[in-house]
Amino acid sequence: MKNTAAIFIIGFTSVLYASQPAAIPGSEVSDAEYMRVISTVPKAVDSAAAKIAPRPTVTTVDDQTQSSWDAPTITAQMSADPQMLNMGMGAIFIPAMTDPELESDAEILNYKGDVVASGPVGRKYSVLPDSYFVMIGSGQHRQRIVRPVVVMEGYVTPLVPDWSGLVVEVLSEKNIPFRGEYELARIDKFESYGRGAGRDLVLGEKLHTWTLKPGTYKIFGVGESYNSRNNFITVRLVPGELTHVVLVEDETTMKITGGGAQYIEADAKLFPHWKYGMDIGGSLDF
């Protein structure tokens, strides 16, 4: 018993007089200090980017403008993109206004003019930190839209659209979609962008999206001259917006009998950030 008591007393006194462990190096950062440091990061990034190349003018797209898109907003598209940012790399995000498969592919070129990445819009592309040019749009090579982008390591740089989107739905006079053809030209620059067509619902076809520079465009019948006084409609495209146009044609003569821009938005949505529409038509013979 005496030995047990002695052991207990020795153990108790050793705990009571044990020394404190060495202090952890450094100091604790408060929430206020953390926010102060984080708030200076964009300024540091801008300063470093300015040394690489002049930063282009930034164009913003408000919520009202993005509401004209068939695709989600830029923020939603970036959040849904599964592509990971590679170590030591930056990235360029090129948004889509409609289904990316229905829009023209984009190309990313370095300052030498070499293509470093290409593919569909609506996703990010990992590239080395540097200055680049993004080429996007419909038409011939010289008609495409070119925008400079500065990429920083660890950051995704979104390309904010200052171009326009155009979708042309060709309908018969019975309000049935069909593969009626048309020509597209820009009036203020006297540029022809080529021939387009409607869709055949029986074949499950979808409408291609024109990616164009803002301006006034003329949609006229195939075989007509650019200066035609009839068989045409005009549409004005606004920066950052997607415009839907309905073109009414005679199925026999392929003459344009009417048309115009649609500004109708569905009240209900099947999925968040997505709009839907439906055309029902047909015929019945006895």
Side-chain angles (χ1 to χ4, degrees), residues 3-14:
N3 293 338
T4 303
I7 294 172
F8 173 77
I9 293 173
I10 293 172
F12 177 78
T13 54
S14 63

Side-chain angles (χ1 to χ4, degrees), residues 58-192:
V58 178
T59 304
T60 58
V61 179
D62 55 26
D63 293 338
Q64 183 176 358
T65 300
Q66 293 185 77
S67 66
S68 68
W69 299 1
D70 292 341
T73 62
I74 297 177
T75 303
Q77 291 184 50
M78 292 179 65
S79 300
D81 185 6
Q83 299 290 332
M84 300 296 293
L85 188 60
N86 298 332
M87 184 68 69
M89 306 278 278
I92 301 174
F93 183 86
I94 308 172
M97 292 185 180
T98 59
D99 186 339
E101 295 182 357
L102 304 177
E103 298 189 22
S104 302
D105 287 351
E107 293 182 335
I108 301 175
L109 296 80
N110 59 18
Y111 68 95
K112 295 180 180 179
D114 301 324
V115 177
V116 297
S118 64
V121 297
R123 53 160 292 187
K124 71 169 72 77
Y125 291 89
S126 293
V127 292
L128 291 171
D130 206 339
S131 298
Y132 296 92
F133 295 95
V134 176
M135 183 177 291
I136 188 173
S138 305
Q140 300 177 9
H141 189 271
R142 63 178 178 81
Q143 294 174 312
R144 303 192 75 189
I145 302 159
V146 180
R147 294 291 178 266
V149 180
V150 176
V151 179
M152 302 299 299
E153 181 180 349
Y155 287 86
V156 179
T157 303
L159 189 65
V160 181
D162 59 356
W163 57 85
S164 305
L166 175 65
V167 178
V168 181
E169 176 80 273
V170 182
L171 302 177
S172 68
E173 293 181 334
K174 296 180 181 180
N175 198 34
I176 301 175
F178 76 106
R179 283 190 54 82
E181 296 184 338
Y182 60 89
E183 299 279 354
L184 179 67
R186 185 177 177 183
I187 295 177
D188 51 344
K189 297 294 183 179
F190 299 99
E191 287 184 296
S192 175

